[in-house]
């Protein structure tokens, strides 16, 4: 049973760093700049559960226009099973009460609890890890994302996510990632988009969007080629057979599975062009 001295507050910048550190301790392998980049998306969407003034639990509920995405649902081990996490989860649901729909990427062990809260599985994801070799072949079609029209990039990103996420993507490009690349066709239309960021262990690629298998392959090699002996981590939507084929071609190994879940009606998204999710924490 939860202690009466339990308090839920909006996380400060330092407390968001505590959240990300806790995620590191849980083995989630966060990005080195995730704390700063994520908070830019929704400064009031990160929460801390305080017991006698000390942080013991965390959660996020980031609002993108009329869509919300939850994450960082964690409780310090010795305080689990006492309803602290449940209270924090409900706080997040209340925070997003004006959103038409909500999403999250849940660990398999918690799926039943999320279903009880009205969430349904849209698809499963698999995290893969492996060394992606650097190729000497370069493509004139691949350019730095920062050199492309931000408006066009937002339009392309919107095709792969339930809502526009302008503030997050601006922060992602400028703070959260080490490099972001776009694949342009001969008419300068965006046919692929990928980003890579340094993590506690290796580098995470996310997002990785591409209209064709070959484009996704070129992008992941170009991103990984920015670093020597690049150990890549990527979260792949399992229904995209081409994405699974790509990571297996790169001899990447399975790490753990999650499930993308939604509550409320969400427009259909073509998973066949999503080779890597942007983030398990913010979608």
């Amino acid at each position: 049973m939860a202690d009466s001295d339990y308090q839920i507050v909006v996380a400060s910048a330092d407390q968001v760093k505590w959240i990300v550190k806790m995620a590191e301790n849980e083995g989630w392998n966060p990005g080195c700049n995730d704390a700063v980049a994520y908070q830019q998306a929704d400064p009031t969407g990160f929460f801390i559960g305080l017991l006698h003034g000390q942080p013991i639990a965390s959660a996020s509920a980031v609002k993108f226009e009329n869509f919300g995405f939850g994450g960082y649902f964690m409780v310090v081990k010795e305080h689990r099973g006492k309803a602290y996490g449940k209270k924090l989860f409900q706080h997040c649901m209340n925070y997003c009460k004006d959103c038409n729909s909500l999403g999250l990427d849940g660990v398999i062990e918690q799926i039943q609890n999320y279903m009880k809260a009205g969430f349904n599985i849209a698809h499963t994801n698999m995290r893969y890890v492996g060394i992606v070799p650097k190729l000497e072949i370069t493509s004139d079609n691949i350019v730095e994302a920062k050199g492309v029209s931000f408006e066009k990039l937002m339009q392309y990103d919107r095709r792969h996510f339930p809502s526009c996420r302008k503030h997050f993507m601006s922060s992602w490009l400028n703070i959260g990632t080490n490099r972001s690349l776009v694949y342009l066709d001969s008419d300068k239309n965006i046919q692929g988009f990928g980003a890579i960021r340094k993590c506690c262990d290796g580098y995470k690629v996310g997002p990785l969007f591409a209209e064709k298998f070959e484009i996704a392959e070129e992008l992941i090699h170009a991103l990984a080629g920015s670093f020597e002996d690049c150990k890549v981590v990527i979260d792949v939507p399992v229904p995209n057979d081409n994405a699974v084929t790509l990571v297996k071609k790169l001899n990447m190994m399975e790490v753990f599975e999650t499930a993308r879940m939604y509550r409320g009606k969400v427009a259909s998204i073509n998973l066949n062009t999503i080779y890597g999710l942007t983030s398990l924490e913010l979608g």
Side-chain angles (χ1 to χ4, degrees):
M1 185 175 180
D3 192 297
S4 60
D5 195 27
Y6 181 62
Q7 182 184 16
I8 296 172
V9 299
V10 174
S12 66
D14 285 341
Q15 287 171 331
V16 173
K17 291 178 182 177
W18 179 86
I19 293 173
V20 174
K21 182 64 178 177
M22 190 173 173
E24 178 185 349
N25 295 337
E26 290 291 320
W28 294 6
N29 193 21
C32 296
N33 293 328
D34 282 3
V36 178
Y38 285 170
Q39 199 168 26
Q40 295 292 318
D42 183 355
T44 60
F46 292 79
F47 306 98
I48 286 283
L50 300 174
L51 183 62
H52 308 303
Q54 297 300 313
I56 65 159
S58 69
S60 63
V62 173
K63 290 193 278 191
F64 304 100
E65 296 185 332
N66 59 356
F67 175 73
F69 200 90
Y72 285 120
F73 300 118
M74 297 177 290
V75 178
V76 173
K77 191 173 182 179
E78 55 265 35
H79 295 290
R80 293 173 186 172
K82 301 175 184 178
Y84 294 123
K86 185 176 182 180
K87 287 178 178 292
L88 199 47
F89 181 84
Q90 189 56 53
H91 184 86
C92 289
M93 297 302 100
N94 292 339
Y95 178 74
C96 292
K97 63 183 179 182
D98 295 329
C99 295
N100 294 335
S101 53
L102 304 173
L104 58 81
D105 284 311
V107 294
I108 301 304
E109 296 80 5
Q110 293 296 326
I111 284 179
Q112 291 300 319
N113 289 331
Y114 295 136
M115 292 183 72
K116 290 176 183 177
F119 287 83
N120 295 302
I121 298 175
H123 59 84
T124 56
N125 315 303
M126 180 62 69
R127 173 162 292 185
Y128 288 86
V129 61
I131 303 295
V132 175
K134 183 176 182 178
L135 298 183
E136 298 303 323
I137 301 173
T138 58
S139 173
D140 293 335
N141 299 90
I142 295 177
V143 300
E144 300 292 334
K146 293 179 183 178
V148 176
S149 163
F150 185 68
E151 190 61 35
K152 288 185 178 180
L153 191 58
M154 285 301 89
Q155 292 173 4
Y156 189 71
D157 180 71
R158 179 63 181 84
R159 289 173 46 195
H160 302 89
F161 192 72
S163 176
C164 176
R165 44 182 178 175
K166 182 177 180 180
H167 296 298
F168 168 68
M169 288 307 299
S170 176
S171 177
W172 205 232
L173 292 175
N174 294 293
I175 300 173
T177 56
N178 294 82
R179 196 179 188 194
S180 52
L181 299 172
V182 165
Y183 188 102
L184 301 176
D185 64 17
S186 57
D187 295 320
K188 304 300 180 183
N189 295 314
I190 298 176
Q191 299 296 306
F193 169 45
I196 190 168
R197 71 192 195 275
K198 181 74 175 73
C199 296
C200 300
D201 182 19
Y203 293 80
K204 278 186 182 177
V205 168
L208 182 60
F209 304 148
E211 300 306 303
K212 298 179 180 179
F213 177 93
E214 294 77 13
I215 293 175
E217 188 173 25
E218 285 192 38
L219 280 171
I220 196 169
H221 276 292
L223 291 166
S226 305
F227 312 95
E228 291 297 327
D229 299 322
C230 188
K231 181 180 181 180
V232 168
V233 180
I234 186 169
D235 294 295
V236 173
V238 174
N240 185 343
D241 293 334
N242 281 337
V244 175
T245 298
L246 176 58
V247 292
K248 289 187 175 180
K249 182 179 179 180
L250 294 169
N251 295 315
M252 301 180 77
M253 304 296 292
E254 294 181 358
V255 181
F256 63 79
E257 187 179 24
T258 57
R260 173 62 59 90
M261 305 182 74
Y262 294 115
R263 188 172 84 171
K265 189 174 182 180
V266 176
S268 178
I269 295 173
N270 181 14
L271 294 178
N272 292 327
T273 58
I274 301 179
Y275 286 75
L277 302 177
T278 304
S279 158
L280 293 183
E281 293 78 29
L282 269 70

